[in-house]
Amino acid sequence: MRISKRNGTNEAYCPEKIKRAVSLAFQSVGNLLSDEEADRLLKNVEQKIDDRITEEPSVSVEEIQDFVENQIMNQRAFSVARNYITYRYKRALV
């Protein structure tokens, strides 16, 4: 699976990047994400990616981040989601 980066390049999908970003978002509000919770969230995101891949051959970083954001919101971790959204905004500016 290939991921379309913001700068227009493509790279191989790396689930560890998603897990790291989510863990950092939880840590930013003083919460720890267990390995089981991280794996469940990642599995749900990957299912969304797989569904999307059936329509197009690649998925963008922004789409993946949308999926992650939705999964955080589904866990009702709203303060985490707020920090994740802020992080996304700052990265988009770069």
Side-chain angles (χ1 to χ4, degrees):
M1 170 183 349
R2 303 297 293 173
I3 306 302
S4 299
K5 304 287 283 182
R6 286 183 189 90
N7 65 6
T9 62
N10 288 317
E11 73 175 40
Y13 170 72
C14 180
E16 291 305 314
K17 287 184 178 183
I18 295 172
K19 286 177 80 170
R20 182 176 182 278
V22 171
S23 292
L24 288 173
F26 273 85
Q27 288 175 13
S28 74
V29 297
N31 293 341
L32 294 178
L33 188 66
S34 73
D35 287 337
E36 294 81 23
E37 291 170 318
D39 288 339
R40 185 172 45 251
L41 188 143
L42 183 62
K43 181 181 175 187
N44 291 338
V45 168
E46 288 177 339
Q47 181 60 52
K48 296 289 186 185
I49 293 170
D50 287 344
D51 293 345
R52 175 71 173 86
I53 293 291
T54 60
E55 298 170 13
E56 305 243 352
S58 68
V59 63
S60 73
V61 167
E62 294 295 328
E63 289 172 304
I64 292 173
Q65 290 178 335
D66 287 344
F67 299 149
V68 170
E69 185 179 315
N70 288 332
Q71 290 304 310
I72 294 170
M73 296 290 279
N74 287 345
Q75 291 187 1
R76 306 190 64 74
F78 301 119
S79 58
V80 174
R82 184 180 321 113
N83 285 356
Y84 187 79
I85 291 165
T86 301
Y87 166 79
R88 285 183 67 183
Y89 175 73
K90 288 177 182 177
R91 292 295 303 156
L93 291 177
V94 172

